[in-house]
């Protein structure tokens, strides 16, 4: 570590006096003008983390559903996971260190985490469409370079896309190609295979109106449009050309206010959904024939997915251990319905995606969605292997077809 170069570079990214930040599930978030020092220092941390795990890591500059004036930063671990909890403490220490203590804090992290500064470091960088994001991304790069790391700047990408790129890099391409084209090809192929199993109920079911929160989702969905089958017609709203990011639109707005976003005209029984600013959460909604608004939030998404999975598992006749993970903020009716009607165990954990994710990993199939639409389905490696084996070897047509749907779900979800 070149101490003099670190001091000079850090001086260009001074820490505002008295500002104290705490790294959490969403990384750091605050008003954009206050973040320059923190993102520079997360560039430092990313280089250290990459060396510690001997793999590429990611840095995403975004504040998700926050107002456009805010920004934030979060790190991505080698397989596309959130930053390991033990490193959240290092992130907080580094962000809040006094200028004269910065070198010592880095040295302490290296000692505690057994970081070998002679190893290579590689960091993938992505950002959302906020006006402040490009400049903050450059501050991240400054931090990486001053510690001798290398980087690949993907520029404007969704948060899920950056997670995908990191995972592809560290699985030597087995997970997919670490390019946007690779992402679109993998996602669309799995999606097309999955919808072959669906029963279309008419022309209206071909259409989907999507509120992109005036964010990055609009750009990337437009790029992905050619990869969709002709049977699916995507209509993009709030594409960022007229209004501000997340202003009166987006997943969080729709959930909180229980009404459609500004800029999306809904007719009865039309299928609609909303992303957030970095396109890593989604909620669905529609109006019935009387004009009443119906929201399909994370609790309902988890319930619908669980019902679907239970039906498929009954057909493949495999004794997989499945559970839904919720927080105390989950709708109590959904919990009772899952346990009493769907007959799926429900486990409650502390608020935060990292807690939901870690608990879900304990099961063959773990389902979790926060009410805001942030969530996923996790298949254990053993369950995934068994399902793929059934697709290849099962002689019974019904069991094989059900296994094929599960395999397509695995490919679609694992992005």
């Amino acid at each position: 570590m070149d101490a003099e170069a670190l001091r000079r570079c850090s001086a260009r990214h001074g820490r505002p006096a008295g500002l104290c930040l705490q790294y959490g599930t969403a990384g750091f978030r605050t008003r954009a003008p206050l973040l320059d020092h923190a993102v520079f220092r997360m560039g430092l941390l990313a280089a250290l983390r990459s060396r510690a795990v001997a793999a590429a890591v990611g840095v995403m500059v975004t504040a998700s559903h926050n107002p456009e004036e805010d920004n934030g930063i979060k790190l991505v671990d080698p397989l596309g996971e959130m930053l390991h909890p033990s490193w959240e403490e290092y992130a907080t220490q580094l962000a809040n260190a006094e200028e004269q203590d910065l070198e010592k804090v880095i040295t302490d992290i290296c000692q505690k985490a057994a970081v070998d500064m002679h190893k290579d470091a590689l960091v993938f960088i992505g950002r959302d469409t906020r006006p402040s994001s490009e400049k903050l991304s450059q501050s991240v790069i400054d931090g990486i370079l001053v510690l001798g790391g290398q980087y690949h700047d993907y520029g404007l990408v969704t948060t899920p896309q950056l997670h995908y790129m990191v995972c592809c890099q560290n699985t030597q391409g087995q997970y997919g190609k670490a390019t946007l084209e690779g992402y679109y090809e993998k996602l669309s192929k799995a999606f097309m295979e999955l919808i072959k199993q669906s029963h279309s109920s008419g022309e209206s079911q071909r259409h989907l109106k999507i509120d992109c929160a005036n964010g990055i989702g609009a750009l990337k969905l437009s790029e992905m449009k050619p990869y969709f089958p002709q049977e699916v017609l995507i209509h993009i709203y709030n594409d960022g050309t007229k209004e501000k990011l997340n202003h009166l639109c987006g997943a969080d707005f729709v959930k909180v206010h229980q009404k459609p976003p500004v800029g999306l005209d809904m007719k009865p029984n039309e299928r609609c959904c909303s992303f957030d600013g970095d396109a890593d959460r989604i909620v669905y909604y529609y109006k019935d024939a009387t004009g009443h608004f119906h929201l399909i939030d994370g609790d309902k998404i988890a319930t619908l997915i669980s019902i679907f999975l239970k039906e498929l598992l009954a057909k493949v006749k495999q004794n997989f251990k499945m559970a839904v993970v919720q927080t105390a903020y989950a709708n109590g009716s959904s919990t009772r319905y899952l346990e009493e009607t769907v007959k799926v165990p429900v486990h409650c954990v502390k608020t935060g995606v990292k807690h939901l994710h870690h608990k879900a990993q304990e099961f063959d199939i773990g389902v979790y969605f926060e009410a805001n639409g942030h969530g996923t389905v996790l298949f254990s490696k053993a369950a995934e292997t068994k399902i793929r084996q059934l697709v290849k070897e099962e002689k019974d047509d019904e069991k094989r077809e059900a296994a094929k749907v599960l395999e397509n779900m695995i490919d679609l979800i694992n992005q």
Side-chain angles (χ1 to χ4, degrees), residues 33-329:
L34 301 176
L35 268 174
D36 182 64
H37 79 291
V39 296
F40 163 72
R41 294 178 184 196
M42 290 309 97
L44 302 174
L45 192 74
L48 298 179
R49 180 63 176 159
S50 177
R51 290 186 170 108
V53 295
V57 300
V59 172
M60 184 70 192
V61 178
T62 182
S64 189
H65 63 280
N66 283 36
E68 186 175 280
E69 295 76 19
D70 290 356
N71 217 319
I73 186 167
K74 51 189 171 184
L75 275 67
V76 179
D77 259 1
L79 294 181
E81 324 100 304
M82 291 171 288
L83 181 65
H84 192 278
S86 64
W87 280 69
E88 291 183 9
E89 182 180 346
Y90 299 150
T92 299
Q93 292 172 354
L94 199 55
N96 296 321
E98 297 294 342
E99 201 74 29
Q100 65 271 18
D101 298 329
L102 194 58
E103 183 184 352
K104 181 182 183 302
V105 172
I106 292 173
T107 300
D108 288 346
I109 292 172
C110 289
Q111 290 175 347
K112 292 176 182 177
V115 177
D116 183 351
M117 292 296 287
H118 295 97
K119 286 186 175 181
D120 293 335
L122 176 60
V123 182
F124 286 179
I125 305 168
R127 67 178 190 271
D128 69 13
T129 55
R130 296 166 198 271
S132 59
S133 290
E134 186 173 7
K135 181 178 182 296
L136 291 174
S137 291
Q138 184 57 55
S139 297
V140 174
I141 292 171
D142 288 351
I144 297 166
L145 292 179
V146 79
L147 288 189
Q150 296 180 313
Y151 70 93
H152 182 103
D153 186 1
Y154 280 94
L156 293 168
V157 290
T158 69
T159 293
Q161 285 175 335
L162 185 70
H163 283 252
Y164 167 86
M165 303 300 179
V166 173
C167 187
C168 288
Q169 173 70 22
N170 292 315
T171 54
Q172 290 75 50
Q174 292 182 14
Y175 188 68
K177 294 185 291 185
T179 62
L180 287 174
E181 292 76 16
Y183 179 89
Y184 297 143
E185 288 169 0
K186 181 174 182 179
L187 200 64
S188 60
K189 180 182 177 182
F191 176 69
M192 286 188 284
E193 288 295 326
L194 191 60
I195 64 170
K196 286 180 182 178
Q197 313 296 326
S198 66
H199 302 286
S200 176
S201 55
E203 173 68 20
S204 64
Q205 296 303 303
R206 299 177 60 205
H207 297 264
L208 177 64
K209 290 184 172 182
I210 305 179
D211 158 34
C212 291
N214 293 312
I216 186 63
L219 296 178
K220 298 308 166 182
L221 196 56
S222 295
E223 291 178 2
M224 193 175 179
K225 255 189 172 184
Y227 294 85
F228 281 118
Q230 294 181 345
E231 294 84 3
V232 178
L233 299 176
I234 301 296
H235 308 279
I236 298 174
Y237 296 83
N238 296 324
D239 63 1
T241 58
K242 298 178 181 178
E243 300 293 339
K244 294 171 67 174
L245 181 71
N246 292 322
H247 181 61
L248 303 179
C249 61
D252 195 62
F253 173 86
V254 172
K255 176 190 171 295
V256 170
H257 295 277
Q258 298 283 307
K259 65 180 184 180
V262 170
L264 191 154
D265 180 36
M266 290 178 65
K267 296 182 176 62
N269 297 318
E270 285 186 329
R271 299 189 303 160
C272 306
C273 67
S274 289
F275 295 154
D276 63 345
D278 62 337
D280 71 345
R281 66 174 67 171
I282 188 170
V283 295
Y284 295 86
Y285 45 93
Y286 65 95
K287 284 183 178 178
D288 60 26
T290 67
H292 182 68
F293 179 81
H294 295 266
L295 175 66
I296 305 174
D297 62 7
D299 292 330
K300 292 182 180 178
I301 293 171
T303 302
L304 290 170
I305 289 176
S306 298
I307 294 169
F308 186 53
L309 285 169
K310 282 277 287 188
E311 292 173 352
L312 292 172
L313 294 176
K315 291 179 180 178
V316 298
K317 296 180 171 60
Q318 292 295 312
N319 190 28
F320 291 129
K321 189 178 180 182
M322 176 180 160
V324 174
V325 186
Q326 296 182 329
T327 71
Y329 289 99

Side-chain angles (χ1 to χ4, degrees), residues 321-339:
K321 189 178 180 182
M322 176 180 160
V324 174
V325 186
Q326 296 182 329
T327 71
Y329 289 99
N331 186 305
S333 297
S334 71
T335 306
R336 289 190 295 274
Y337 185 80
L338 284 163
E339 291 182 327

